[in-house]
Amino acid sequence: MKKISICIVTHNNENNILSVLNCIYSNPQNFILETFVVDNNSSDKTVALVRHHFPQVKLILLAQNRGFGFGHNKVLGRIDSDFHVILNPDITFDANILDGLSRYLESSPDVAMVIPQILNTDGSVQDLPRRTPQLKYLIGGRLECFGGIFKKWRDEYTYNGKNFNSPVEIDFCSGCFIMVRTKIFKKLGGFDERFIMYFEDADLTRRAQQYGKTVLNPDFCATHVWARTSAKRFKYLCIHVDSMIKYFKKWHKKGGVKHI
């Protein structure tokens, strides 16, 4: 029987952690499931809620918040699954998605990583990045409200307006919901911990392409409560810019895959 591991990194997520865990455990599974919650030093009731309602979940408590990638990497030495899921706490979905995506990977040996279609709470497709980051795309994301070339760049970055009816290869898999072959995730050493927040998923996607395709499968959907925090708070904008600089320095060579 196949085994699926899941990791959710939390930081003050008492308002949504139970929803995502309910999605994970709402239906019987025909696979072995192991779920980790790595808590980045929450000061709210996140940890208490997990302990009380989902004692089967394995909690890893960190003394400080060192970022999304650092938290996810804490399970690298503890997972022995066939497929590993990187999941945000603000995601909801039909539990059958786990079996469905893993079946897709089982039938597609050339695919290293897959994501479902990500929807907004109103059911519309979320305009998450799907192409390799470029400076013009990031400018477009900040200035798309002015229309013109900025809106064009943003739409190009997110494939806005394209309706996919079958799995399609993409450059950028959003870290809100990724299923990756565990052996590949381990080969990569997980996330690059130099990225505290933002671009760590773009970087992971590019490195995973050494081992296979990275794919969006629209046959499966999940709902994401996307806050776009960096667009609203100056602190997170600074983190976003810092991660952008790190990303472009790392991937300065245009085209191709930079080996680790």
Side-chain angles (χ1 to χ4, degrees):
M1 184 178 288
K2 67 188 173 188
K3 184 173 182 179
I4 297 175
S5 56
I6 299 173
C7 182
I8 304 168
V9 172
T10 55
H11 179 67
N12 294 334
N13 290 110
E14 64 179 6
N15 293 329
N16 46 35
I17 188 59
L18 294 184
S19 294
V20 67
L21 291 174
N22 276 321
C23 289
I24 293 170
Y25 288 102
S26 61
N27 292 327
Q29 289 96 20
N30 59 350
F31 50 85
I32 300 169
L33 177 65
E34 185 176 38
T35 304
F36 296 86
V37 168
V38 180
D39 187 75
N40 275 332
N41 197 28
S42 290
S43 58
D44 65 359
K45 298 178 182 177
T46 299
V47 172
L49 288 170
V50 174
R51 279 180 172 152
H52 179 73
H53 294 280
F54 292 93
Q56 69 271 49
V57 169
K58 298 178 180 180
L59 272 164
I60 300 175
L61 307 182
L62 303 183
Q64 58 181 315
N65 185 354
R66 294 182 58 183
F68 178 88
F70 181 89
H72 276 287
N73 286 355
K74 284 299 177 182
V75 304
L76 277 171
R78 301 181 62 170
I79 54 177
D80 60 355
S81 54
D82 299 294
F83 308 107
H84 182 64
V85 179
I86 297 156
L87 199 61
N88 268 20
D90 55 358
I91 287 278
T92 54
F93 52 87
D94 182 333
N96 291 329
I97 196 174
L98 299 173
D99 186 47
L101 288 175
S102 62
R103 285 178 182 272
Y104 171 73
L105 286 177
E106 287 177 317
S107 65
S108 308
D110 59 335
V111 177
M113 177 186 291
V114 62
I115 63 169
Q117 184 73 275
I118 304 298
L119 306 177
N120 293 304
T121 53
D122 64 1
S124 61
V125 174
Q126 199 160 100
D127 63 339
L128 294 170
R130 290 173 181 164
R131 292 187 188 273
T132 299
Q134 296 181 33
L135 184 58
K136 69 175 184 178
Y137 293 154
L138 304 177
I139 294 172
R142 292 290 165 188
L143 303 177
E144 64 177 320
C145 59
F146 295 105
I149 192 64
F150 305 118
K151 180 66 165 59
K152 180 182 177 181
W153 287 342
R154 181 65 186 179
D155 289 347
E156 186 178 319
Y157 191 29
T158 62
Y159 289 163
N160 188 33
K162 292 188 177 182
N163 296 316
F164 299 113
N165 299 313
S166 59
V168 60
E169 195 170 355
I170 59 174
D171 302 325
F172 187 154
C173 293
S174 168
C176 66
F177 192 137
I178 291 174
M179 182 176 283
V180 59
R181 297 183 190 277
T182 304
K183 63 181 180 181
I184 292 178
F185 189 56
K186 287 191 166 189
K187 281 181 180 179
L188 295 172
F191 287 97
D192 184 336
E193 295 176 8
R194 289 175 291 182
F195 298 97
I196 302 301
M197 185 187 297
Y198 307 114
F199 293 97
E200 67 283 302
D201 45 1
D203 173 75
L204 184 72
T205 306
R206 288 186 75 161
R207 291 187 290 122
Q209 289 163 3
Q210 297 175 83
Y211 300 103
K213 298 177 181 177
T214 52
V215 169
L216 162 68
N217 189 330
D219 295 335
F220 306 95
C221 298
T223 300
H224 180 211
V225 182
W226 191 21
R228 296 195 74 170
T229 311
S230 71
K232 300 174 183 178
R233 296 177 62 181
F234 183 71
K235 171 186 174 182
Y236 291 101
L237 172 61
C238 292
I239 296 173
H240 198 164
V241 171
D242 179 65
S243 292
M244 175 187 71
I245 293 169
K246 289 176 181 175
Y247 178 87
F248 285 129
K249 282 184 177 180
K250 181 174 181 178
W251 295 96
H252 64 280
K253 186 177 180 181
K254 185 177 180 181
V257 174
K258 182 174 180 177
H259 293 276
I260 303 166

